[in-house]
Amino acid sequence: MYVNITGSSNNKDIYIYQSYRKENGKTSSRIFKKLGKYNELLERFDNDKEKLMAWAKEEARKETEAYNNKAVPIPLKLSQKAFITKDEERCFNVGYLFLQQLCTDLRIDNICRKIKERHKFKYDFSAILTDLIYARILSPSSKLSSYTFCQKLLEPPKYSLQNVYRALSVMAEESFFIQEELYRNSNFVHSRNTKILYYDCSNYYFEIEEEDGNKCYGKSKENRPNPIVTMGLFMDADGIPLAFDIFPGNQNEQTTLKPLESTIIRDFNCSEFIFCSDAGLGSVNNRRFNSLGNRSYVITHSIKKMKNEDKEIALSPKQFKKIGSNKFIDISTLDESDDEVFNSIYYKEIPLVTGDMDETIIVTYSPKYKDYQQKIRSKQLDRAQKMVDGKIKKRKGKNQNDPARFVKETKFTNEGEIAENETFELDQDRISEEAKYDGFYAVITNLEDNVEEILKINKQRWEIEENFRIIKTVFEARPVYVRRDDRIKAHFLTCYISLLVYRLLEKKLDNKYTCEEILSTIREMQMTLLSGNSGYVPSYKRTELTDSLHETFGFHTDYEFITKATMRNIIKNSTNT
């Protein structure tokens, strides 16, 4: 085994590497153990690099000796007559160890220590917060179920369930402090890219009938007839969450931006960035706010809601350019059956003066996007026709994509008299009106940058929608099992931190695996305790992903047998203590 230092200039780690022979006979190496952060270890040795490397090499020698000793088979004595110990837990999740190392790198224990100095409590606040994160990622459910799940970790809770509920109030009170500290500390794990900040809102319903606190009736994105709360979420240019807050369900989404963004500017030391969001959050006030200082914006813009004269210019086929070319093109003359044309994007810029702001609307046209929209509408028209034919019961459409919007109901005759029977038919005017916008898309900006770069910024908005999908479906942020406003905020704080930890885990694995692959793997990584005096055996499938996890984090749980002493060292390694 040998020692190596890897990482960027300001974020180096010292690892012990193990050499091994591949199946093809070639020699390679993999991470065996992480010794720690280079700068922190160097400080421990009074900035003496020679002493540090001498210590690291000695650690590598010890690990080599211990590894060679492990090669000796271990005899196990198991009886066919002896019963297992009553009430003894024998199956443990070890996937949390990777999350635990990330939480350690985020210095959550230091954050919690500062919080404890301001509050009068004796329970282990750090253990409660991190356990809630592990449970949200590995087995999302209620706080009671999370507490029960954590009993199956190698380090079960030493706090009570009542302590969990008390800690939730503290989490809510310290929410912004925790987020600010996590942002700063996350730079030690992955350098944050705050040149572009994305913002969006989503809401979460509660299965109650009456409003209570922040749980208010509002415009539900899922058309649920229940009180809701709204979450506003900021994300950086790499898809990693930056900050969040919870707002009453009846609050206009456009008014949620300024207070949260002001907090980021003031407390997160982020004052120069490009703001990007969808049209629903792109009000004039929000655009003006993001034109101050060294900020700018790229926001999707509704062509349908533009003024008639601007709309005519936007939809006119003339004066378009192909991305990367300055030649004007009439898009009505394009041969869209040609592959190059079909996969190209064309644009035009429309200057706009809004009060004291000079803006530009960039209208794009994509034959590929047009084809996609036409295919979607074709399926919707098939369903609408079945409604007309009576094969599907017609209902009142609740959203802009409901096929029922294409069904026209006639209650009067051509003479203006009330008809004896209502008639239904496809609304050709509505169909033609929607078809006018096929392939067109627009953004509004105050940037004077290259159009291709501006469009690239907007294209990445899908990642913030993906973040909400993960919170809602994968981490099961709903239904919410707590009622008080402070505990609701704490619940979403744990969901937010879980998302942050998960995104950092993705980055550590070089974005090579999907969300489903990563989470299903760490959720299934179980160890079975053979007997109280012996040790553990892995009860999961070793895969390329489990190998990547072990090599990335510098410890292994995939040996055929692991003694209790060795497992304690693995736990110690995952906490860098």
Side-chain angles (χ1 to χ4, degrees):
M1 295 185 187
Y2 64 94
V3 175
N4 201 1
I5 302 172
T6 59
S8 59
S9 58
N10 61 347
N11 189 27
K12 295 179 181 178
D13 294 304
I14 299 183
Y15 292 98
I16 295 175
Y17 280 80
Q18 177 188 33
S19 299
Y20 69 99
R21 190 174 297 278
K22 294 183 176 180
E23 294 180 358
N24 59 12
K26 294 184 179 180
T27 302
S28 185
S29 61
R30 59 190 170 201
I31 293 174
F32 180 80
K33 182 179 180 180
K34 178 181 175 181
L35 292 178
K37 295 289 182 183
Y38 175 77
N39 291 336
E40 294 176 2
L41 292 172
L42 187 60
E43 187 176 340
R44 187 197 303 177
F45 287 92
D46 299 322
N47 293 318
D48 190 325
K49 295 181 182 179
E50 292 185 2
K51 286 184 179 180
L52 170 59
M53 293 309 297
W55 168 82
K57 290 177 180 178
E58 176 62 16
E59 290 297 304
R61 186 196 66 77
K62 292 178 182 177
E63 291 293 345
T64 301
E65 182 179 345
Y67 180 82
N68 291 333
N69 290 335
K70 289 178 186 175
V72 179
I74 296 178
L76 292 175
K77 293 183 179 180
L78 301 174
S79 172
Q80 298 182 65
K81 294 184 178 180
F83 292 105
I84 60 175
T85 305
K86 190 175 183 180
D87 294 328
E88 181 183 45
E89 191 67 56
R90 300 182 71 88
C91 189
F92 301 89
N93 177 279
V94 290
Y96 85 97
L97 293 175
F98 308 106
L99 307 177
Q100 181 166 268
Q101 184 163 313
L102 282 169
C103 287
T104 301
D105 291 342
L106 287 169
R107 302 176 183 179
I108 289 181
D109 56 337
N110 289 340
I111 297 172
C112 293
R113 194 175 300 116
K114 293 176 183 178
I115 292 173
K116 190 171 184 177
E117 292 173 358
R118 297 196 286 266
H119 296 267
K120 303 295 183 180
F121 56 74
K122 296 182 179 179
Y123 51 79
D124 193 336
F125 184 67
S126 178
I128 293 173
L129 178 55
T130 51
D131 279 357
L132 288 175
I133 295 166
Y134 307 150
R136 182 56 50 186
I137 295 174
L138 299 173
S139 182
S141 189
S142 66
K143 300 299 174 284
L144 172 58
S145 295
S146 296
Y147 179 75
T148 303
F149 168 79
C150 289
Q151 306 293 335
K152 297 183 179 181
L153 301 180
L154 288 168
E155 306 160 279
K158 296 180 180 179
Y159 50 82
S160 68
L161 179 61
Q162 188 61 37
N163 293 150
V164 174
Y165 289 108
R166 289 172 178 165
L168 292 177
S169 298
V170 179
M171 291 178 201
E173 184 178 340
E174 299 284 355
S175 176
F176 279 123
F177 172 75
I178 292 172
Q179 292 178 62
E180 178 189 352
E181 291 291 299
L182 285 174
Y183 163 69
R184 298 186 193 284
N185 296 343
S186 64
N187 281 281
F188 295 104
V189 182
H190 180 84
S191 183
R192 302 298 294 269
N193 182 357
T194 55
K195 293 179 180 179
I196 307 166
L197 296 187
Y198 296 84
Y199 183 70
D200 203 355
C201 291
S202 190
N203 46 51
Y204 299 81
Y205 66 87
F206 292 77
E207 294 180 344
I208 57 177
E209 297 298 327
E210 296 183 3
E211 295 182 329
D212 179 25
N214 285 335
K215 303 182 288 295
C216 302
Y217 284 104
K219 188 176 181 181
S220 171
K221 294 181 184 290
E222 300 167 81
N223 301 305
R224 300 279 306 197
N226 305 92
I228 57 175
V229 297
T230 297
M231 171 190 274
L233 177 68
F234 266 100
M235 175 191 88
D236 71 13
D238 289 333
I240 303 175
L242 184 75
F244 90 101
D245 201 4
I246 296 298
F247 302 92
N250 60 358
Q251 183 172 337
N252 188 319
E253 285 185 355
Q254 294 184 1
T255 64
T256 66
L257 170 66
K258 191 173 180 179
L260 184 53
E261 186 173 341
S262 298
T263 300
I264 291 174
I265 294 170
R266 182 185 67 247
D267 298 336
F268 287 50
N269 197 27
C270 295
S271 57
E272 299 182 19
F273 54 82
I274 299 171
F275 170 80
C276 186
S277 73
D278 63 19
L281 291 158
S283 66
V284 173
N285 287 337
N286 285 344
R287 300 205 305 269
R288 180 171 286 109
F289 181 65
N290 277 290
S291 64
L292 302 175
N294 294 311
R295 301 195 302 281
S296 50
Y297 55 84
V298 176
I299 299 171
T300 58
H301 197 64
S302 172
I303 298 177
K304 294 179 181 179
K305 295 180 180 180
M306 290 170 65
K307 294 178 180 179
N308 288 334
E309 57 268 29
D310 291 331
K311 187 187 300 184
E312 288 180 10
I313 297 173
L315 298 178
S316 172
K318 298 180 179 180
Q319 300 296 307
F320 275 86
K321 296 178 183 179
K322 182 179 178 180
I323 294 290
S325 171
N326 288 322
K327 181 181 178 182
F328 286 112
I329 298 172
D330 184 336
I331 59 174
S332 65
T333 65
L334 293 173
D335 178 9
E336 297 185 2
S337 63
D338 181 274
D339 283 346
E340 183 180 349
V341 172
F342 183 78
N343 290 292
S344 296
I345 296 176
Y346 305 86
Y347 75 95
K348 68 167 60 173
E349 297 175 89
I350 305 174
L352 184 70
V353 177
T354 307
D356 58 346
M357 295 188 295
D358 291 327
E359 302 178 301
T360 302
I361 297 176
I362 301 174
V363 179
T364 65
Y365 175 75
S366 165
K368 187 175 182 179
Y369 184 44
K370 175 183 178 181
D371 181 68
Y372 167 77
Q373 289 178 301
Q374 288 177 339
K375 286 179 179 177
I376 295 295
R377 188 183 304 106
S378 177
K379 294 178 181 178
Q380 293 174 345
L381 287 173
D382 287 342
R383 294 182 63 195
Q385 185 62 55
K386 290 179 180 179
M387 292 179 184
V388 171
D389 296 339
K391 296 178 181 178
I392 299 178
K393 185 178 179 181
K394 183 183 182 300
R395 65 196 182 285
K396 185 177 181 181
K398 290 187 176 181
N399 63 62
Q400 60 183 2
N401 295 314
D402 197 307
R405 73 188 187 280
F406 293 127
V407 178
K408 182 168 66 174
E409 181 179 355
T410 304
K411 298 182 179 181
F412 300 91
T413 65
N414 293 332
E415 289 74 26
E417 297 179 356
I418 298 176
E420 292 184 6
N421 297 311
E422 297 175 346
T423 60
F424 298 95
E425 60 182 335
L426 292 182
D427 190 341
Q428 296 299 334
D429 291 338
R430 177 69 180 267
I431 296 170
S432 299
E433 177 63 22
E434 288 200 12
K436 289 195 316 187
Y437 302 95
D438 287 349
F440 290 95
Y441 191 83
V443 297
I444 187 168
T445 181
N446 62 347
L447 286 170
E448 297 179 0
D449 291 5
N450 179 280
V451 169
E452 189 172 4
E453 290 301 316
I454 293 173
L455 297 178
K456 184 179 178 182
I457 289 170
N458 183 69
K459 190 175 181 180
Q460 288 300 114
R461 276 197 318 104
W462 70 269
E463 288 200 73
I464 196 164
E465 295 173 0
E466 176 72 359
N467 278 332
F468 277 121
R469 185 193 71 82
I470 292 172
I471 291 177
K472 283 190 173 183
T473 61
V474 182
F475 293 165
E476 298 180 22
R478 57 183 184 187
V480 182
Y481 294 99
V482 289
R483 295 184 177 182
R484 283 171 33 181
D485 280 351
D486 59 342
R487 292 179 177 179
I488 289 171
K489 187 167 187 176
H491 164 73
F492 285 108
L493 175 65
T494 60
C495 293
Y496 165 83
I497 301 175
S498 299
L499 178 64
L500 171 65
V501 171
Y502 165 71
R503 284 301 195 195
L504 292 174
L505 176 57
E506 273 188 333
K507 300 300 179 187
K508 294 277 268 185
L509 295 172
D510 298 324
N511 294 313
K512 292 193 297 185
Y513 306 95
T514 67
C515 176
E516 287 70 23
E517 288 173 334
I518 294 173
L519 293 180
S520 64
T521 295
I522 61 176
R523 287 172 176 178
E524 293 169 4
M525 291 185 75
Q526 303 289 327
M527 301 292 287
T528 300
L529 178 66
L530 288 181
S531 66
N533 297 321
S534 58
Y536 308 85
V537 294
S539 304
Y540 60 88
K541 183 192 292 185
R542 182 186 168 198
T543 64
E544 179 185 334
L545 176 49
T546 62
D547 283 354
S548 295
L549 283 164
H550 288 124
E551 290 178 19
T552 299
F553 286 86
F555 61 84
H556 285 265
T557 64
D558 51 0
Y559 295 117
E560 287 186 351
F561 178 79
I562 300 176
T563 64
K564 282 193 166 184
T566 301
M567 185 59 78
R568 284 194 293 271
N569 286 332
I570 292 174
I571 295 171
K572 181 180 179 181
N573 189 28
S574 73
T575 56
N576 293 330
T577 57

